[in-house]
Amino acid sequence: MPRRRTTSSSSSTASSAPRNRTPHPVRVRRRSLGDFVKAFLAFVVLAGLVLGVPFALAVTVGWPFPGGAPSLDWLQREITVHTFLSILTVVVWLAWAQFTACVLVEVKAAVSGVGVPGRVPGSGPSQLLARQLVAALLLVGATAASLTPGLSQLGQSLEGNQKPSVAAAQQTPGLFAQQQEQAAATASALAEQAGQAGQAAARADGGASAAHGDTKYYRIQPPEGRHHDSLWEVAERHLGDGRRYKEIFELNKDRVQPDGSRLSEASLIRPGWIMEMPGDARGGELVEMPDEAPNVSEQVQQQISDYAKSGDHAQGRGGAQGGGDAQVSLPEQRPAPAPANPVTPATPVPSTGGEHAAPAAGQEGHSFGLPEALLAAPLLAAGLLGALGRRRRQAMWQSALGAVGGRRGMEPPTPTGDAQDVQDALLVGADPEGVRLLDRSLRGLAASLAAESRPLPVVYAAWMSGNGDLHLQLAQPAGKPPAPWQQGQDQTFWMLARSDAERYEDAETAAPYPGLVSLGTMDDSRLLLNLEAVPGIVSLSGTEADRAAVFASVAAELATNGWSDRMTITLVGFGDDLTPLAPNRIRHLDGFEDLFETMSAETRQRRGALGAAGHDSVLTGRTGPAQHTRWAPHLVLLAAQPSDDDALRLAELAADAGRLGIGYLVGTQGTDLPGAAWEMEITGEGRLLAPLLGLELDAQMLPAAQRRAVVELFTDADPGSDPEGGPGRPANAPPFLVDISEQGRPAVYARLVGSYEIIGLDAPDGERSALLHEALALLLLHREGVHPRVLSSALWPRGVTPDVRDALLERLRTWLGTDPDGTPRLATDATGRLTLAKSVVSDLDVLRSLYYEATQGRGVDSRQVRGRLLTDALVLVRGPLLADRPEGRYRWLTHEIVDAQLPLLVADTGLALSEFHLEKNRAEKAIEALNAALRTAPADERLWHELLRATHTTGDPDRLRALAADLVARSGARGLPPRTEALLDELLPTWREGVSAAG
């Protein structure tokens, strides 16, 4: 049903703050006669049901327990009316026992004041009746509200036992608590230094003001419906700005509350607690003086007076941790390991705990023109970069099926303008190691739970801390986590240290939480929200442009992330241009009617499938025997503002979404949205606020300009998107051609194909030799230019100070020297990128140029020139790229596609040279060329096919049979590809017999 709407009493100065769903503070009223009548009636009913029913049964029909051991004769007795009455009596006794158990559970939860009562199995109506009776009885007391926070669910259905997400977020100890506590500490030391200093000075006056009763206090109110009081709302009502909740937290941190507990986390407060307020607190009679609180009981006045004596001015604690029980705040932030290279605040260790350095906005006062949105999104950047690499490899493999010498796709198009800046930002910001660890950790957890026959717990969120630890926030306790996972702050936190995560191997199990997506960072930790697990809708308010930037970021990460197997992402009201990122995942709908038609059908289908499979939720389908079904999530991102009717229909549709693996993220214009479990706001400053969850994040966003540039990168990589090969150059032209004549001898020649060698330069000193060689290799593989940030992050994945980077670039310039005309061989182009002079070339440049000249240049018109150029090209191939590179270096090659380009280029060269020789019936020469190419590209099926044809032309069936047997042995258990089998059937029909005989 729709969530009730309430109004806020915030002052006009706080109109820009997030909407406050909590009503005005409730006046503490005296109990009326009606309250006592209700309590008396509840007592009579409870006494009658709990005590009267068993007494009546015992008197009339006796106890249900037999007097002795029953014999087998009763099985043969005739069924009479007495038999049915006896059975009915047992049923009544069982019903009484169940109701009594419900009463005990409700009374225990009400008196203890801890969370929502547990659920007695199979007792929905009975427990609801027991809850209402206990509530009516206990609420008559003056302080019952503070003792019974769980009674806020009075009158709701039993589904309220499964906490609504907002209520669960505030009742579960420590939800996002560690990040909130760190934010408070940071703000008190920096942004609010002046205000805190003034308050500290006031408290240092010896407590005189408190003693005279001029300090204000606030008593945390009991929940009303689903709305729980929070420090944000208290600050918004009485201080005019919800962000000032940190001041209240600092004033009351670790002070003993009336129930004996302490305030240790800003997001964890309880009804009945007393809060000392800043001196400028105004409004509402519930902001009270210790001795001037006429509207509350004497007991509450005494509580406030006792609490006033526990402050810093009374105990001399100076704000330090008090004695008593130790307070543990998790996710625990352990000291991060020191990086291998010096790291300054300008180049911090990435928040995801990965090895790729995350940039800081203030590095040297600018970001060298690169988009900050992608620099600060390491998981999103890694996903986009990996997907882009796969798309480019796919384009090359598809183009390999084209005609030799007449196809495009040997080289991906070189991006320019915004697309080039975005590609550089992806290279700098990506954290593939963080993605790998996250994926292995989650799959390892799923495998461990499956081995123990335990279901996956519902996970609302994950935090990736600065030291690389992973923290999962569970919706409810799920027992002891499997090793090496550990329990965190309480039973709702599971934590995995980075050192343990690195020992995980790839697990053959379904991705357990594919709906996790990054929302932003708080301090040095990154939040991933599990959209498919939220019990309802997640709403996002703010301006249309800001909402679109958040939606685009969420859609792009969901479409390309590395910790999901399969999923469907439905975009409504935006994102029709995002489909190229993942055509198999993303679909776009035009409007609400299409959405309701689609999602209604899928909701019914999923409910039926879960019921048929015997699962409670999609999570139980991702572990155990049924994990092959995968139960992929369906995430709906709806950017358009729904009408009132559409919002109600959407709320009804999403009521059971969390169990079905369907998540809804809906954009609003600031109004309450029915069915919204979590409400967030994106501000113009890029802050993502969720005050009821205690969240204030630096939002992860993908603005419109960067979104278009990302889509352009993927569109250009599509082999069918640009049949002309791109403007400004021929379709097959490589990005850099060298003069392969005698007059074009380079000044500096580097051998990259095989062992790394440099000819034409003196060897640099030993200390910097490895870095200089690696920097030169990166520049040689990117003749279009390398951004300084890209070079820096490639050489120092953990970050480096600007002076160290600049010093290396200066050494590199000095080492490369200048051309005879005085031109430096390492220059900077108009965009600020580092480029090499044409006099510095590599054997890969020569190999590309030779193949191009042979197939599209001078070799087209001269057979003799073509044969010589192709032969020279194959001679250059001495092994894989950078075959002897040191362990732990050249990790940036994982972002490159040269590992796919080089084998394809060598295979194309071998095929072209084989064709050249076969034209003159020189089969042995063709076989020699194909074997040379196979040493570098052994997996290229085209080479094996041509080798079979060339061997067949020799007229030696034994040689062909031996080659067939070698192919079968290489194929192993997978067997030969169908096309290879078909070719063997054509060339050697008896090959299967030979293979069987050999076997």
Side-chain angles (χ1 to χ4, degrees):
M1 64 182 291
R3 189 166 44 88
R4 69 180 286 183
R5 293 182 172 87
T6 58
T7 58
S8 173
S9 58
S10 304
S11 64
S12 59
T13 58
S15 59
S16 61
R19 292 183 60 85
N20 178 14
R21 301 186 301 167
T22 301
H24 292 284
V26 181
R27 293 178 179 271
V28 179
R29 62 181 181 86
R30 299 183 181 275
R31 301 305 176 189
S32 64
L33 178 62
D35 293 331
F36 287 96
V37 172
K38 292 179 181 178
F40 176 75
L41 293 177
F43 174 78
V44 171
V45 173
L46 279 174
L49 292 175
V50 176
L51 301 177
V53 169
F55 178 78
L57 289 173
V59 170
T60 57
V61 297
W63 295 101
F65 306 106
S71 65
L72 297 179
D73 295 340
W74 68 274
L75 294 176
Q76 301 176 356
R77 295 177 183 173
E78 182 181 357
I79 299 176
T80 63
V81 174
H82 178 72
T83 304
F84 283 106
L85 291 177
S86 299
I87 296 175
L88 180 61
T89 301
V90 173
V91 172
V92 174
W93 273 109
L94 292 175
W96 169 83
Q98 184 187 56
F99 177 78
T100 303
C102 294
V103 171
L104 294 176
V105 168
E106 294 296 328
V107 170
K108 178 181 180 297
V111 174
S112 63
V114 179
V116 178
R119 182 176 181 180
V120 179
S123 57
S126 297
Q127 189 165 2
L128 179 59
L129 175 61
R131 180 177 308 162
Q132 292 174 335
L133 294 174
V134 172
L137 180 62
L138 294 184
L139 284 177
V140 74
T143 61
S146 65
L147 294 174
T148 57
L151 299 179
S152 62
Q153 306 299 322
L154 178 63
Q156 297 185 18
S157 69
L158 191 61
E159 293 302 320
N161 285 336
Q162 300 174 357
K163 304 174 186 177
S165 58
V166 174
Q170 302 216 349
Q171 292 172 359
T172 301
L175 180 63
F176 312 130
Q178 184 274 337
Q179 287 74 13
Q180 191 68 57
E181 187 173 355
Q182 287 188 343
T186 302
S188 64
L190 298 176
E192 299 163 7
Q193 183 176 7
Q196 294 295 334
Q199 294 171 13
R203 291 195 299 269
D205 290 339
S209 60
H212 288 84
D214 55 3
T215 301
K216 298 179 180 180
Y217 294 87
Y218 175 80
R219 186 167 179 268
I220 301 300
Q221 296 301 298
E224 177 179 332
R226 291 177 57 185
H227 306 290
H228 293 246
D229 216 347
S230 68
L231 292 187
W232 178 288
E233 293 167 328
V234 172
E236 191 175 49
R237 288 195 299 269
H238 303 296
L239 299 177
D241 186 356
R243 294 177 177 84
R244 293 186 63 187
Y245 76 92
K246 302 169 187 176
E247 300 178 27
I248 306 176
F249 174 74
E250 289 299 320
L251 284 172
N252 298 275
K253 181 180 179 183
D254 295 319
R255 294 170 65 177
V256 178
Q257 293 291 335
D259 61 0
S261 56
R262 300 172 185 268
L263 174 67
S264 61
E265 295 146 4
S267 61
L268 177 57
I269 59 175
R270 298 177 184 174
W273 280 9
I274 309 299
M275 295 289 122
E276 180 180 343
M277 301 291 289
D280 61 340
R282 295 290 184 273
E285 64 183 28
L286 295 180
V287 178
E288 299 158 338
M289 316 286 283
D291 301 323
E292 298 177 7
N295 294 325
V296 299
S297 65
E298 294 182 1
Q299 180 182 3
V300 175
Q301 292 185 32
Q302 185 61 43
Q303 289 177 353
I304 297 177
S305 297
D306 293 342
Y307 187 76
K309 302 174 183 178
S310 67
D312 296 342
H313 53 269
Q315 299 185 8
R317 292 187 296 125
Q321 293 283 347
D325 298 335
Q327 301 291 336
V328 180
S329 180
L330 290 176
E332 183 180 10
Q333 293 294 336
R334 302 176 303 163
N341 297 285
V343 179
T344 67
T347 56
V349 175
S351 62
T352 59
E355 294 187 358
H356 212 75
Q363 182 169 346
E364 296 183 342
H366 55 83
S367 61
F368 293 92
L370 298 184
E372 289 290 349
L374 290 171
L375 292 175
L379 301 184
L380 170 61
L384 289 172
L385 198 60
L388 182 60
R390 291 190 295 271
R391 183 67 54 82
R392 288 173 171 173
R393 287 182 175 87
Q394 181 183 13
M396 288 191 299
W397 293 330
Q398 291 179 359
S399 67
L401 302 177
V404 174
R407 62 181 177 85
R408 66 179 291 268
M410 180 63 66
E411 298 290 336
T414 302
T416 58
D418 290 342
Q420 188 177 20
D421 289 339
V422 162
Q423 178 174 273
D424 287 340
L426 295 178
L427 290 168
V428 174
D431 181 20
E433 180 66 11
V435 171
R436 183 183 68 86
L437 289 178
L438 176 61
D439 182 42
R440 286 188 174 184
S441 300
L442 296 177
R443 292 180 193 268
L445 174 63
S448 299
L449 291 172
E452 299 177 7
S453 299
R454 295 172 58 186
L456 286 168
V458 177
V459 170
Y460 278 159
W463 287 95
M464 299 185 72
S465 63
N467 55 24
D469 295 344
L470 175 62
H471 306 263
L472 298 183
Q473 172 67 64
L474 311 185
Q476 57 189 2
K480 182 180 179 181
W485 289 78
Q486 306 171 24
Q487 185 169 297
Q489 170 183 352
D490 52 44
Q491 295 182 0
T492 63
F493 273 104
W494 285 3
M495 188 272 288
L496 180 68
R498 180 185 176 91
S499 57
D500 294 326
E502 290 173 341
R503 291 196 289 269
Y504 264 124
E505 301 293 338
D506 292 331
E508 291 296 329
T509 187
Y513 304 111
L516 286 170
V517 64
S518 303
L519 289 185
T521 57
M522 178 182 288
D523 294 337
D524 63 343
S525 295
R526 182 168 301 276
L527 169 66
L528 290 90
L529 181 66
N530 191 7
L531 283 180
E532 69 164 335
V534 176
I537 297 171
V538 179
S539 68
L540 177 68
S541 62
T543 65
E544 184 177 357
D546 292 334
R547 294 201 318 263
V550 174
F551 273 99
S553 170
V554 170
E557 185 169 298
L558 290 173
T560 61
N561 71 42
W563 54 89
S564 301
D565 294 322
R566 299 183 296 115
M567 69 168 56
T568 301
I569 307 165
T570 297
L571 309 180
V572 184
F574 85 109
D576 53 338
D577 59 335
L578 292 175
T579 305
L581 301 185
N584 295 329
R585 286 191 178 187
I586 296 179
R587 66 178 176 183
H588 182 266
L589 298 180
D590 293 331
F592 287 96
E593 290 304 321
D594 292 340
L595 174 66
F596 291 135
E597 180 180 357
T598 300
M599 296 312 300
S600 296
E602 178 155 350
T603 299
R604 289 193 300 270
Q605 187 274 333
R606 290 203 173 208
R607 284 194 183 121
L610 284 176
H615 297 313
D616 296 330
S617 70
V618 295
L619 289 180
T620 57
R622 290 179 186 158
T623 56
Q627 66 172 311
H628 64 278
T629 59
R630 301 290 174 167
W631 298 103
H634 188 157
L635 304 175
V636 178
L637 309 182
L638 200 159
Q641 169 72 33
S643 65
D644 292 341
D645 292 340
D646 289 337
L648 291 175
R649 294 172 63 188
L650 188 63
E652 181 180 358
L653 191 63
D656 199 24
R659 185 177 70 90
L660 304 177
I662 303 175
Y664 292 87
L665 179 61
V666 181
T668 68
Q669 296 177 355
T671 59
D672 283 342
L673 188 67
W678 290 356
E679 289 185 342
M680 300 184 296
E681 178 191 5
I682 179 66
T683 69
E685 295 77 28
R687 302 286 289 173
L688 190 67
L689 307 178
L692 294 181
L693 298 179
L695 289 178
E696 188 174 345
L697 306 170
D698 291 322
Q700 179 171 296
M701 307 171 70
L702 187 60
Q706 281 78 58
R707 183 179 74 245
R708 288 191 295 267
V710 167
V711 172
E712 180 182 343
L713 288 174
F714 279 80
T715 303
D716 289 346
D718 187 345
S721 64
D722 188 10
E724 300 301 324
R729 64 181 177 92
N732 291 6
F736 179 70
L737 294 175
V738 300
D739 186 355
I740 56 176
S741 65
E742 288 295 331
Q743 293 76 21
R745 187 176 299 276
V748 178
Y749 182 69
R751 291 177 175 174
L752 303 179
V753 184
S755 299
Y756 190 4
E757 302 176 20
I758 297 178
I759 302 172
L761 292 177
D762 295 332
D765 57 45
E767 182 182 358
R768 296 292 181 180
S769 177
L771 282 174
L772 292 174
H773 278 76
E774 187 173 357
L776 180 57
L778 178 61
L779 291 166
L780 285 168
L781 291 177
H782 290 276
R783 302 304 304 230
E784 72 277 9
V786 177
H787 198 285
R789 290 289 295 275
V790 175
L791 181 66
S792 176
S793 63
L795 299 181
W796 294 282
R798 293 183 180 273
V800 71
T801 55
D803 57 334
V804 173
R805 180 198 62 217
D806 295 341
L808 181 79
L809 291 179
E810 188 58 34
R811 289 191 184 94
L812 184 60
R813 287 191 178 92
T814 303
W815 182 43
L816 291 175
T818 60
D819 285 332
D821 60 358
T823 303
R825 291 171 181 157
L826 178 63
T828 303
D829 65 10
T831 64
R833 289 172 171 80
L834 303 168
T835 60
L836 292 174
K838 292 185 177 181
S839 58
V840 182
V841 301
S842 70
D843 54 355
L844 186 58
D845 297 327
V846 177
L847 177 60
R848 289 166 171 161
S849 299
L850 288 171
Y851 177 77
Y852 174 77
E853 285 293 332
T855 57
Q856 300 183 57
R858 292 176 295 159
V860 174
D861 300 324
S862 173
R863 172 182 169 81
Q864 182 179 3
V865 172
R866 181 167 74 255
R868 178 174 56 82
L869 293 174
L870 292 173
T871 301
D872 290 344
L874 271 185
V875 170
L876 291 175
V877 180
R878 301 177 297 117
L881 188 75
L882 298 169
D884 58 351
R885 56 180 178 266
E887 183 71 21
R889 301 215 64 86
Y890 296 87
R891 292 185 178 181
W892 47 269
L893 281 173
T894 58
H895 300 307
E896 307 286 338
I897 61 171
V898 68
D899 59 336
Q901 289 175 301
L902 180 59
L904 274 178
L905 177 58
V906 173
D908 286 344
T909 304
L911 291 170
L913 186 56
S914 171
E915 181 184 12
F916 171 81
H917 288 305
L918 289 177
E919 288 176 355
K920 295 296 184 180
N921 296 321
R922 294 196 291 263
E924 294 297 335
K925 289 287 187 180
I927 292 173
E928 181 182 351
L930 292 169
N931 282 325
L934 279 168
R935 285 192 287 270
T936 300
D940 198 307
E941 190 178 357
R942 299 172 302 155
L943 290 175
W944 289 106
H945 290 177
E946 289 305 312
L947 184 59
L948 286 171
R949 294 188 179 96
T951 304
H952 180 263
T953 60
T954 62
D956 187 347
D958 293 336
R959 188 174 179 182
L960 184 59
R961 191 174 293 107
L963 178 59
D966 184 32
L967 271 174
V968 172
R970 288 174 180 269
S971 64
R974 297 175 301 173
L976 292 174
R979 286 183 295 182
T980 304
E981 287 190 354
L983 181 59
L984 280 173
D985 289 336
E986 175 188 346
L987 301 179
L988 187 65
T990 61
W991 70 277
R992 301 178 190 274
E993 299 174 3
V995 170
S996 301

